[in-house]
Amino acid sequence: MVTRTEEEEVNRLENQVENGGGGVWEYLCLVHKLKLRRSDMVLKHGLSILNDSKKRSALGPEEWTLYEQVAVAAMDCQSIDVAKDCIKVLQRKFPGSKRVGRLEAMLLEARGLWSEAENAYSSLLEENPFDQVVHKRRVAMAKAQGNTSAAIDWLNKYLDLFMADHEAWRELAEIYVSLQMYKQAAFCYEELILSQPTVPLYHLAYADVLYTLGGLENLQTAKKYYASTIDLTGGKSTRALFGICLCTSAIGQLTKGRNKEDKESPELQSLSAMALEKDYKLRAPSRLSVLSSTLRGLKI
């Protein structure tokens, strides 16, 4: 995950490069290091180096890394001829390389030759079953074809091998949510919270899924995770504050007529409502009346 400082540095260099202030190689290296896909910029400025023999030779061994970087950027931008030329250079320099073989398969994918690309990826995985890049390309290819069920299957197989990949768990969770498969999505977010318990985004997403599932137990758990989101963000998550209010209202409806022991203390929802009103007064005073009306409708 790219930090705010790193993103600011990339943007600074990008503006500098675009305005003719130099630093092209530094920019390309940083984009590569952070695994960003600024494909149009990489294609434009990467070619400016590769097409200049003096600049290219000055790179030393990094020349081949740049060819690879530009090839991927060209495929992203559908500049297929440029990608072909870069891959041909790498084929001559590294005959039989599996890394170049991945680029060849990606080129088939970029051209829409799905079955040929699938065969190429399968061949690469036979030789190295633990090639993460190839596994991820299969997922991406399934999604590109609109084959969501295949994407789910490939992601699950990938996670059987690489259980610590947080981005893969998150991607799988988001696919499940898009298909309204909330129980499966909840499992994915549980895995993420277990491995990264201090990331508020996962607590919030898990709470949203549980609230959507409904039922008293799920609502009570959702409320706890909205509360943990508020704690982790220092009270700055408006969505989580709303979540507390919504859960409280729904729990109140489900426990209506029960003994007082079964009902929850109103303290948390009162604090959440007050925090929301304070936030709206500062950031959206014109919408404060709408908020107050909404909270009254929830009987908060």
Side-chain angles (χ1 to χ4, degrees):
M1 189 176 291
V2 179
T3 66
R4 185 175 178 179
T5 303
E6 289 170 334
E7 186 174 358
E8 288 174 352
E9 178 64 10
V10 171
N11 291 335
R12 184 191 68 78
L13 282 171
E14 188 169 291
N15 289 331
Q16 178 180 306
V17 168
E18 281 291 270
N19 292 318
V24 172
W25 178 241
E26 186 183 357
Y27 169 74
L28 292 170
C29 287
L30 186 57
V31 169
H32 184 262
K33 176 186 174 184
L34 299 178
K35 299 181 180 179
L36 300 175
R37 298 293 276 268
R38 308 262 176 126
S39 301
D40 54 340
M41 294 289 293
V42 169
L43 179 59
K44 175 183 175 181
H45 296 292
L47 280 177
S48 72
I49 294 177
L50 293 178
N51 290 334
D52 186 317
S53 58
K54 288 184 178 179
K55 291 180 180 178
R56 190 175 67 242
S57 60
L59 298 178
E62 294 298 322
E63 173 186 349
W64 315 114
T65 303
L66 182 58
Y67 269 111
E68 180 183 39
Q69 188 179 6
V70 171
V72 173
M75 286 185 268
D76 283 348
C77 297
Q78 279 298 296
S79 297
I80 302 301
D81 289 338
V82 174
K84 283 182 181 177
D85 291 341
C86 290
I87 292 171
K88 283 179 182 177
V89 172
L90 291 169
Q91 286 170 331
R92 288 196 295 269
K93 178 65 178 179
F94 306 103
S97 164
K98 300 299 179 291
R99 187 162 171 171
V100 177
R102 285 204 304 256
L103 290 175
E104 293 167 358
M106 289 171 67
L107 182 61
L108 293 170
E109 184 185 341
R111 293 170 60 194
L113 303 174
W114 307 117
S115 59
E116 290 90 336
E118 174 58 34
N119 291 336
Y121 287 137
S122 296
S123 177
L124 288 167
L125 284 176
E126 284 178 8
E127 296 182 32
N128 180 12
F130 299 102
D131 190 324
Q132 285 184 275
V133 174
V134 173
H135 281 285
K136 288 180 177 181
R137 290 313 315 163
R138 281 180 133 180
V139 175
M141 192 165 67
K143 290 174 72 175
Q145 295 176 83
N147 192 345
T148 309
S149 60
I152 290 173
D153 288 342
W154 290 128
L155 268 172
N156 276 306
K157 288 177 181 177
Y158 172 81
L159 286 166
D160 283 341
L161 295 172
F162 308 101
M163 295 183 68
D165 191 326
H166 308 128
E167 289 301 319
W169 280 112
R170 183 178 173 184
E171 184 176 4
L172 183 57
E174 289 173 353
I175 293 175
Y176 281 138
V177 168
S178 72
L179 297 174
Q180 299 182 11
M181 299 171 69
Y182 298 116
K183 289 184 179 179
Q184 292 87 339
F187 175 80
C188 295
Y189 285 121
E190 286 166 1
E191 289 289 329
L192 285 166
I193 291 169
L194 280 172
S195 59
Q196 291 188 302
T198 60
V199 178
L201 176 65
Y202 301 152
H203 290 248
L204 181 61
Y206 184 49
D208 284 344
V209 168
L210 292 175
Y211 176 79
T212 304
L213 281 169
L216 183 58
E217 185 177 346
N218 285 329
L219 288 168
Q220 289 171 333
T221 306
K223 188 174 177 180
K224 292 176 183 177
Y225 278 90
Y226 282 129
S228 66
T229 303
I230 293 168
D231 185 43
L232 289 168
T233 58
K236 294 180 181 179
S237 175
T238 302
R239 187 183 183 95
L241 291 168
F242 266 118
I244 292 287
C245 297
L246 289 169
C247 285
T248 299
S249 178
I251 291 169
Q253 292 295 319
L254 291 174
T255 58
K256 188 180 292 184
R258 295 191 183 185
N259 295 329
K260 288 184 178 180
E261 292 78 19
D262 296 330
K263 297 182 179 180
E264 296 187 335
S265 168
E267 183 180 1
L268 182 57
Q269 59 265 30
S270 297
L271 290 171
S272 297
M274 289 170 59
L276 279 170
E277 289 176 339
K278 182 179 179 181
D279 191 33
Y280 268 66
K281 282 179 184 178
L282 288 172
R283 297 199 293 167
S286 63
R287 308 297 295 173
L288 183 58
S289 60
V290 177
L291 171 69
S292 300
S293 175
T294 302
L295 294 177
R296 282 197 300 272
L298 295 172
K299 297 181 181 179
I300 302 289

